Amino acid sequence: MDALGGAAKAAAKKPATSCKNPKKSCVCEAPPTQNPTITSVRPVVDGGCGKYEWRVFYNLDKPTCKGGWIIQEVTFVIKAGPAGKPLKNMLNLHYWEAWKVSPGKTIPDSRATYGYDDMFAVLVSFPGTYGVTEEHGKVRFFEDLTLPSDFKPNNPKTPAAGVLHATTKKPSFWNGRGSYHDLVDSWNCTAGHNHATIETVPR
């Protein structure tokens, strides 16, 4: 997908890592962990009254040698209520999800299928309410990681992760460090009001 200009062709001939055959044991120049760069595919789509969609890309600064997994820890909370009433928890999730990155690559394999890497979204609105949704993520890549068996696609315990391998059990290798990936949506759609504010990191 990347176009190389004439000045970059010479550099492109050099191997991305010291591994001629990443499937075999070798000395790898790729770091054991990386914090991916997160960029928006497009601006957040605000559907109003708590509904939104935000798609992003994950990119590694250096190609992986043996392959590995991007892991994201997610907390996802929705609170809403009618005018004059206290907010109630509509959703409260905490889980880890994973994207595979093949040897020599800097992006998740799944991008070729979906055209993006991750999506924070609430696909329904809450008319007649006020509330706040918070999605907070920490994202980190782990070189040559064997994904624990409790990471499962379509895991019923992690409905927001969908087809991604995901778990509610904290991985033994996870230390909470990584790139910040956050969205906060505050809205008021009670009588006489119709406004929302969405803030993201990165913007």
Side-chain angles (χ1 to χ4, degrees):
M1 298 177 64
D2 294 326
L4 294 177
K9 289 183 178 179
K13 294 180 181 179
K14 296 181 180 180
T17 71
S18 61
C19 294
K20 293 182 179 180
N21 186 350
K23 294 183 179 180
K24 294 184 178 181
S25 178
C26 58
V27 176
C28 185
E29 294 176 355
T33 61
Q34 298 186 57
N35 290 345
T37 298
I38 304 173
T39 55
S40 297
V41 176
R42 61 185 181 188
V44 178
V45 178
D46 183 359
C49 300
K51 182 179 180 180
Y52 62 83
E53 181 181 297
W54 182 35
R55 298 181 181 185
V56 299
F57 293 131
Y58 296 143
N59 292 277
L60 304 181
D61 290 337
K62 296 183 179 180
T64 171
C65 177
K66 296 182 179 180
W69 291 83
I70 292 173
I71 306 294
Q72 177 172 226
E73 179 182 10
V74 179
T75 56
F76 187 3
V77 177
I78 302 176
K79 296 180 179 180
K85 300 291 185 179
L87 296 176
K88 291 186 178 180
N89 279 330
M90 309 291 288
L91 184 73
N92 193 336
L93 300 175
H94 183 204
Y95 58 95
W96 288 259
E97 56 190 359
W99 291 259
K100 184 179 181 181
V101 182
S102 290
K105 303 296 184 180
T106 59
I107 63 174
D109 296 357
S110 58
R111 188 183 301 182
T113 300
Y114 298 104
Y116 63 95
D117 299 326
D118 193 15
M119 178 173 69
F120 280 179
V122 174
L123 301 178
V124 296
S125 60
F126 304 94
T129 72
Y130 76 106
V132 60
T133 295
E134 296 191 28
E135 292 196 62
H136 297 289
K138 284 289 188 67
V139 188
R140 196 167 178 87
F141 172 77
F142 294 84
E143 178 77 23
D144 198 25
L145 174 68
T146 298
L147 197 67
S149 60
D150 53 292
F151 277 80
K152 300 181 183 301
N154 298 307
N155 190 334
K157 295 181 179 180
T158 60
V163 299
L164 295 173
H165 290 75
T167 183
T168 57
K169 180 181 178 181
K170 180 181 177 180
S172 60
F173 56 83
W174 186 256
N175 62 11
R177 299 175 182 173
S179 301
Y180 287 93
H181 182 201
D182 303 299
L183 181 148
V184 177
D185 178 18
S186 302
W187 74 90
N188 188 346
C189 291
T190 59
H193 301 276
N194 185 19
H195 62 81
T197 300
I198 298 180
E199 297 181 353
T200 65
V201 176
R203 294 185 176 182

